Amino acid sequence: MKSYDVELQDIVKDFDSGGAQIRAVDYVSVQIADGEFFALLGPSGCGKTTTLRLIAGFEQPTEGHILIRGRAMEGIPAYHRPVNTVFQDYALFPHLTVEQNIMFGLQMEGVNKREALKRAQDALEMVRLPDIGKRKPHQLSGGQQQRVALARALVKQPAVLLLDEPLGALDLKLRKSMQYELKALQRDVGITFIYVTHDQEEAITMADRIAVMNEGKMLQVGTPKEIYERPGTHFVADFIGETNFIPATLLKRENDGRGRVRLPDGSEICAALSDDLTTTSGAVTLAIRPERIGLASDVSAESATDRDLDILDAKLVDSQYIGTDTRYTLQIAEGTELVARVQNVDGRNSAAFDIGQTVKIFWHHSSTTVLDH
Amino acid sequence: MSERIRSMRRNGTFLALPTTLWLLVFFVLPLVIVLVVSFMSRGRGGVAIMPLTIGHYQRTFGIFSIILWRSIGLAAMTTVVCLLAGYPLAFFISTRRSRLFQQITLFLVILPFWTNFLIRTYAWRILLGDEGAINGVLISLGLISEPLKMLNTQFAVLVGLVYGFLPFMVLPIYASVERFNFRYVDAAHDLGANDVRAFVRVVLPLTLPGVLAGCALVFIPSVGAFVTPDLLGGTKGLMIGNLINNQFGGSGNMPLGSALSIVMMAVVMLSLVIYLLANRRERGT
């Protein structure tokens, strides 16, 4: 049996809000492996931060069990758990210097001052800020504070590091470079990271696995590729990246994970079924990413007979040049529009098609996902 | 608009002129007079006459030093008791979720100010007296047979001072704790500090400005307290304020009273300096 670093078993967290019960976390179960970079992704208020706080021990679950390294965490206060947190606003103690901040956790363990200072300096070295130990947090930039918060948590050598939107307060460019740095750091130290974010791109770039949450529920757990390519629900498909949703009718489920669906223009195509699909026939939603849609004035006879390709007629409504890509707005039926994104390469650009022209659009079966309506 | 503000800034001196004059005439000048008088001799009826002498200061630090130290001691004890009672109260109030509850409790803290201080202090005479309410209850319960001697003791003065100045401790601490970000407590717990250590290492240092302000606001008026020891202390609880008051009465000694006043002011100034230094250290580099 595989051992997990963190295990959540049917976790429920209710908050009392002026007499009304608010369910922040709704029967969440997940297993996070040792050394994994695990992202909790979702919009604000989806319960991801509450889940993190439950693992940290700042909140107690209303129902369910939390296990860290196989040990049940019931009744174990935050200060006895083998986890450390990097807070969203860093929560560096303003009255202590950077060194004292990092030494704080070690001194609580009873490490003597000299040893604690040495380890604090090593930790600062690790986050590449060796010379700022004597400064106060308010004298540091946001990026520096972020690294100090990281050093303060990692110096304790926790089993699990919890990160609550740690890059949220940084500007875009710094955020990008910190993403790579954090990922590299995680590989180096080999500690399990549980990373809360609302930024889908951040989660996809950094995480080994992503859990998408909404309204307290964990909707889907999987690798970034699984989440992006095989979204289980409308919400996941919509939240991660850009998606076209086409209302469709499911005619028949095949055994190979595909199904025949009818589109609003009356054409019938073959599409991949989502693992979470419960509908057996009738109204469904077809999801397809803009970059998976191809565009041509006409298609060759060879392509036309390719059984894995779906080909439709569409009217070009609008095209928009956005540098790397061109975005085409296409109408496949009255009231049903799609967005296609085609990369601009030599000899191919938006000038190739005229607005109002009828074009052929095509995609591979596996690029579509049939979701519950 | 900025032009107008700039001209107002330039004219700032003139704007401050009335107040400056007022303070010069009614504060600095009398202070200088008191200082001069404190070095003069006592004439008939307690008035100040020449020649100059340092005798009043010798007496202040001589036979009256016991009263000076008692005043400082009682004020210090008042400050400590107010702090021990006020911090938990202020902490409790400022950590309540309901804003309304906070406002009501703060209102209750300052409610006594609506009644005259003199009257409230008289009420303590009724409570603390030999035939008073407290002794009455204790005797009727059979806990004591003889009334406890409480009125006209230093204990009574302490009770009165704590009662009178507690709000001055609660309000600044409330403001400090109210501003305190409890995320720091999460962070302390996260790093392995239990509740006690989180309080000592994080909460207390970060709310210290409120504590220091409260201590200054309680200690300073307590040192010079006059009504409370007068009504509750009798001769045993006499403080420097009463002594000064006596010197300016019928058979008084104005130069001695002036010397006592100057010394008391020095004590207050010293405590203010300590407060400012502590505050500055707290703010850090």
Side-chain angles (χ1 to χ4, degrees), chain B residues 143-279:
Chain B
L143 292 171
I144 50 170
S145 50
E146 291 289 302
L148 288 173
K149 174 75 184 155
M150 289 184 289
L151 195 60
N152 299 333
T153 62
Q154 289 188 29
F155 171 75
V157 178
L158 184 66
V159 168
L161 289 175
V162 167
Y163 165 78
F165 295 127
L166 187 61
F168 295 109
M169 186 64 88
V170 173
L171 295 177
I173 296 178
Y174 166 81
S176 254
V177 179
E178 225 265 320
R179 274 201 307 269
F180 177 75
N181 181 356
F182 277 85
R183 188 77 71 114
Y184 295 132
V185 175
D186 279 349
H189 282 157
D190 188 71
L191 293 167
N194 59 25
D195 287 341
V196 174
R197 292 171 109 179
F199 179 79
V200 173
R201 292 284 308 267
V202 177
V203 182
L204 192 59
L206 287 175
T207 52
L208 206 57
V211 171
L212 291 173
C215 288
L217 285 175
V218 171
F219 181 80
I220 290 167
S222 296
V223 167
F226 149 69
V227 172
T228 312
D230 194 47
L231 294 180
L232 304 177
T235 47
K236 283 192 187 134
L238 197 72
M239 287 173 74
I240 194 163
N242 311 106
L243 199 58
I244 293 169
N245 178 53
N246 292 344
Q247 304 317 315
F248 291 92
S251 61
N253 182 341
M254 279 192 205
L256 177 64
S258 300
L260 288 166
S261 300
I262 295 289
V263 169
M264 195 190 96
M265 235 170 349
V267 170
V268 169
M269 292 289 260
L270 193 70
S271 60
L272 265 176
V273 167
I274 292 169
Y275 163 70
L276 289 174
L277 285 178
N279 218 3

Side-chain angles (χ1 to χ4, degrees), chain A residues 200-220:
Chain A
Q200 42 111 358
E201 198 203 318
E202 204 167 276
I204 287 175
T205 333
M206 301 168 80
D208 297 323
R209 280 197 305 155
I210 297 172
V212 183
M213 291 187 73
N214 190 39
E215 291 177 341
K217 290 191 175 68
M218 210 169 256
L219 300 176
Q220 192 172 358

Side-chain angles (χ1 to χ4, degrees), chain B residues 20 22 34 59 84 104 111 160 173 201 207 211 213 231 244 257:
Chain B
T20 311
W22 175 274
V34 170
R59 286 177 73 198
L84 292 179
I104 291 171
L111 190 65
I173 296 178
R201 292 284 308 267
T207 52
V211 171
L231 294 180
I244 293 169

Side-chain angles (χ1 to χ4, degrees), chain A residues 82-108:
Chain A
V83 300
N84 285 108
T85 307
V86 175
F87 292 88
Q88 187 171 12
D89 54 4
Y90 316 132
L92 297 173
F93 303 127
H95 61 299
L96 301 179
T97 65
V98 167
E99 265 167 14
Q100 288 168 334
N101 262 284
I102 301 173
M103 287 161 69
F104 188 96
L106 295 173
Q107 288 175 316
M108 292 301 133

Side-chain angles (χ1 to χ4, degrees), chain A residues 48-125:
Chain A
K48 57 190 192 297
T49 297
T50 305
T51 305
L52 198 77
R53 291 177 61 82
L54 286 164
I55 300 170
F58 303 139
E59 311 279 355
Q60 301 305 319
T62 312
E63 272 180 54
H65 305 283
I66 296 172
L67 278 77
I68 299 176
R69 293 219 161 143
R71 212 168 120 224
M73 285 292 127
E74 270 100 334
I76 297 183
Y79 48 88
H80 283 149
R81 295 191 182 194
V83 300
N84 285 108
T85 307
V86 175
F87 292 88
Q88 187 171 12
D89 54 4
Y90 316 132
L92 297 173
F93 303 127
H95 61 299
L96 301 179
T97 65
V98 167
E99 265 167 14
Q100 288 168 334
N101 262 284
I102 301 173
M103 287 161 69
F104 188 96
L106 295 173
Q107 288 175 316
M108 292 301 133
E109 289 172 17
V111 176
N112 71 53
K113 212 166 182 169
R114 179 185 263 168
E115 170 72 13
L117 183 64
K118 200 192 151 290
R119 278 164 68 179
Q121 281 161 349
D122 289 346
L124 279 173
E125 200 90 39

Side-chain angles (χ1 to χ4, degrees), chain A residues 13-22 53 58-59, chain B residues 90-105 174 178 182:
Chain A
K13 179 63 185 175
D14 291 332
F15 284 112
D16 195 38
S17 168
Q21 290 280 313
I22 290 177
R53 291 177 61 82
F58 303 139
E59 311 279 355
Chain B
F91 195 89
F92 171 80
I93 296 172
S94 57
T95 50
R96 289 314 94 188
R97 280 237 189 99
S98 155
R99 200 77 200 161
L100 183 70
F101 183 86
Q102 284 194 20
Q103 282 162 349
I104 291 171
T105 35
Y174 166 81
E178 225 265 320
F182 277 85

